[in-house]
Amino acid sequence: MPRELPESQRLPRALYRAEQVRALDRAAIEQEGIPAFELMERAGAAAFSILRSRWPEVRSIVVLAGPGNNGGDGYVLARLAHQHQIAVRLLMLGEHQGLRGAAAAAAQAYQDAGGVAEPFTRVPPDAELIVDALFGTGLGRPLSGIWAEAVAQCNASRAAILALDVPSGLQADTGAILGAAVEASATVSFIGLKQGVFTGRGPDCSGLVCFDGLRVPARIYAAEVLSARRIDWNQQVRLLPRRRRSANKGDFGHLLIIGGAAGMGGAPRLAGEAALRTGAGRVSIATHPGHASVLNLTRPELMVHGVREPAELDALLHRSSLIALGPGLGQADWGLALFERALALDRPLVVDADGLNLLARAPRRRDDWVLTPHPGEAARLLDIAVSEVEADRFAAVQRLSERYGGVIVLKGAGTLITGPGTRPIAVCTQGNPGMASAGMGDALTGIIAALIGQGLEPALAAEAGVCLHAAAGDRAAERGQRGLIVSDLIAELQPLLAESDGER
């Protein structure tokens, strides 16, 4: 059985594009005088160490080696496995007769140690563990032909897969799949973590992510400004301010949630409860009169108001300190009228769901809002296809920021957050597939708004809110991902916050 390794606490926070990591590799060789073959030896040894730690009982491996440096790392690992009496089949793809430099030296060292390399024809059906050493970051076009066939056979195999640096076929900068990609059980990344591993299809393909800096001196990293940064709840919880013993509810914001068109009253109800569980001082809901009388029957702490005409919203707007706009709002005349009324007031805003769909109809910029689109809403806001958003989520979130201002939260696997200033894009590395269910976005809206109400700047509230939401989802998923509903997540918010308060 595989043995789990520590993950989030030991991974660096800094994320890079592939070209940046290649520049760091060159600097280690040219400025620090570390021979390229020595770096390859370190990479192969680090990968072999992780293989032994995670799969201590493995007795045979299949190494798929490409014709570049990633294949050279595979040759080193294969040699070490052979020397430790692990049966090795090294299968070559591409022109290995043309290997140069460190990769050629690694291949020769493997053969000198008694290792055998053979051309790839198929992945052995009895493979116990497969090492993906085909491309790493060196792929610039979609996989096809024998390469795509090798990837398909890997994914169809029952064997565990260890990918070296980046799963072959995964675009290291974007998290998109180039035609086909290895779906690894674990990935060991070298020198710098690649940003695409943590968003889009990256989490699907990478499995457990491990890291080894190959003992590259810290000083060479000063030349590269990280392209993104990895965040999680263990880090973000430190942003939450302590509560004074003399505090009162007025210190923690009066949130007004606007939404809940006829038949959609559940959305603002979920946002409201999530806000209360995150520590909002007061939460009011402006909603359709048809269900106003029942929205707070099971949560009387919510102050619910039926609003038929936009003018009826004014008193609620002026009593509030911030607004969450969009959960269940709808896009008909009622929702549009409330949307425009809310935007006319100078209040911090968190905009989600139909608020975003209405914004896409008439784009405008503001500096005081947080927009929280999923990929479909992002596509409408940018007037592009969803596939274009998912092809490069980093570019999409930047375009949203440029067009709409404020803070942008692009939801999905590896949620991205960007805001004003020069801070690199934040990537949340928590969350799970069980959270792909209705109402999760409504809860996130309430969480972020509650944190703004408690004094966090919108960008920091968005980062902390995304991570709290993800951590609560992970806690709820300990009982199983399938069938997880948003109420399960909301139930974990207060315990998580209580634990965090106790630790500080």
Side-chain angles (χ1 to χ4, degrees):
M1 292 294 292
R3 183 179 297 167
E4 290 298 327
L5 299 176
E7 193 267 331
S8 61
Q9 290 81 4
R10 297 195 176 187
L11 289 181
R13 298 289 176 186
L15 303 179
Y16 298 95
R17 296 185 304 277
E19 180 50 45
Q20 292 181 291
V21 178
R22 286 192 284 269
L24 292 170
D25 185 86
R26 287 194 299 272
I29 295 169
E30 297 170 5
Q31 297 175 24
E32 299 296 329
I34 305 173
F37 181 67
E38 174 61 23
L39 286 176
M40 189 168 286
E41 282 282 308
R42 295 178 187 179
F48 182 65
S49 176
I50 287 167
L51 184 155
R52 293 298 299 271
S53 296
R54 182 157 169 75
W55 294 281
E57 299 175 2
V58 72
R59 293 293 175 264
S60 66
I61 65 172
V62 174
V63 179
L64 300 184
N69 285 340
N70 198 246
D73 297 340
Y75 274 107
V76 174
L77 183 151
R79 188 189 81 235
L80 294 172
H82 177 74
Q83 291 171 342
H84 283 78
Q85 286 73 54
I86 295 175
V88 177
R89 287 193 67 184
L90 188 143
L91 307 180
M92 302 177 294
L93 286 87
E95 297 298 325
H96 284 235
Q97 297 87 344
L99 286 177
R100 299 188 301 274
Q108 187 62 52
Y110 170 68
Q111 294 171 5
D112 291 345
V116 175
E118 55 187 293
F120 171 83
T121 55
R122 64 168 185 157
V123 171
D126 59 347
E128 188 178 352
L129 185 142
I130 299 168
V131 176
D132 165 26
L134 292 174
F135 285 107
T137 63
L139 184 65
R141 62 184 184 278
L143 289 178
S144 60
I146 193 171
W147 305 98
E149 178 59 28
V151 167
Q153 290 184 28
C154 284
N155 293 340
S157 171
R158 299 178 63 181
I161 303 174
L162 174 63
L164 305 190
D165 212 19
V166 174
S168 294
L170 181 72
Q171 218 290 336
D173 293 347
T174 66
I177 287 178
L178 295 172
V182 167
E183 296 171 2
S185 310
T187 298
V188 53
S189 190
F190 307 121
I191 298 181
L193 290 173
K194 290 73 182 174
Q195 64 181 26
V197 165
F198 297 97
T199 196
R201 295 298 302 277
D204 283 336
C205 296
S206 302
L208 177 73
V209 179
C210 308
F211 175 76
D212 196 292
L214 307 186
R215 305 195 300 281
V216 167
R219 56 183 170 269
I220 75 163
Y221 290 86
E224 294 294 332
V225 177
L226 59 158
S227 62
R229 54 199 166 86
R230 196 180 62 81
I231 61 173
D232 56 31
W233 179 239
N234 290 330
Q235 171 200 44
Q236 294 295 307
V237 66
R238 302 169 191 167
L239 298 175
L240 303 189
R242 287 183 177 274
R243 293 195 165 201
R244 302 189 314 273
R245 291 181 65 84
S246 59
N248 64 75
K249 63 186 177 184
D251 296 329
F252 306 122
H254 183 178
L255 170 63
L256 175 62
I257 299 171
I258 303 174
M264 294 189 287
R269 163 69 170 73
L270 291 168
E273 182 168 358
L276 287 172
R277 291 297 188 187
T278 307
R282 289 179 288 175
V283 177
S284 295
I285 296 177
T287 190
H288 192 277
H291 42 67
S293 61
V294 298
L295 251 185
N296 66 349
L297 286 180
T298 57
R299 184 55 62 214
E301 297 88 346
L302 296 169
M303 298 176 285
V304 183
H305 307 267
V307 174
R308 192 174 301 277
E309 300 295 334
E312 300 173 21
L313 193 61
D314 289 351
L316 298 172
L317 287 169
H318 286 286
R319 287 201 296 268
S320 67
S321 59
L322 71 158
I323 300 165
L325 179 60
L329 185 65
Q331 300 179 57
D333 291 345
W334 180 85
L336 177 60
L338 299 190
F339 173 82
E340 294 293 349
R341 201 79 168 196
L343 290 188
L345 192 68
D346 183 19
R347 288 282 188 282
L349 287 154
V350 180
V351 185
D352 186 33
D354 283 322
L356 297 170
N357 293 326
L358 291 170
L359 178 61
R361 295 186 190 176
R364 66 200 83 181
R365 284 182 59 91
R366 284 181 70 140
D367 295 329
D368 62 347
W369 60 16
V370 178
L371 308 183
T372 62
H374 59 55
E377 292 157 348
R380 288 188 282 277
L381 288 165
L382 293 173
D383 194 25
I384 60 177
V386 175
S387 59
E388 292 180 68
V389 172
E390 291 293 72
D392 191 340
R393 288 168 53 81
F394 290 95
V397 78
Q398 290 282 33
R399 290 178 60 187
L400 287 165
S401 179
E402 292 164 4
R403 181 174 296 190
Y404 293 96
V407 178
I408 308 297
V409 176
L410 179 56
K411 296 182 290 197
T415 291
L416 306 182
I417 306 105
T418 191
T422 59
R423 283 165 62 85
I425 293 171
V427 186
C428 177
T429 53
Q430 291 173 293
N432 64 83
M435 296 169 66
S437 65
M440 291 289 176
D442 302 316
L444 179 60
T445 295
I447 291 168
I448 293 173
L451 293 175
I452 294 173
Q454 292 171 77
L456 291 185
E457 293 294 321
L460 298 180
E463 292 180 14
V466 165
C467 291
L468 173 58
H469 181 262
D474 286 344
R475 179 75 67 86
E478 291 175 5
R479 298 184 293 274
Q481 293 182 10
R482 201 179 302 273
L484 177 67
I485 61 174
V486 67
S487 297
D488 301 327
L489 181 151
I490 291 172
E492 298 294 344
L493 293 171
Q494 198 270 340
L496 270 172
L497 290 164
E499 290 173 12
S500 302
D501 285 337
E503 291 172 359
R504 289 186 295 163

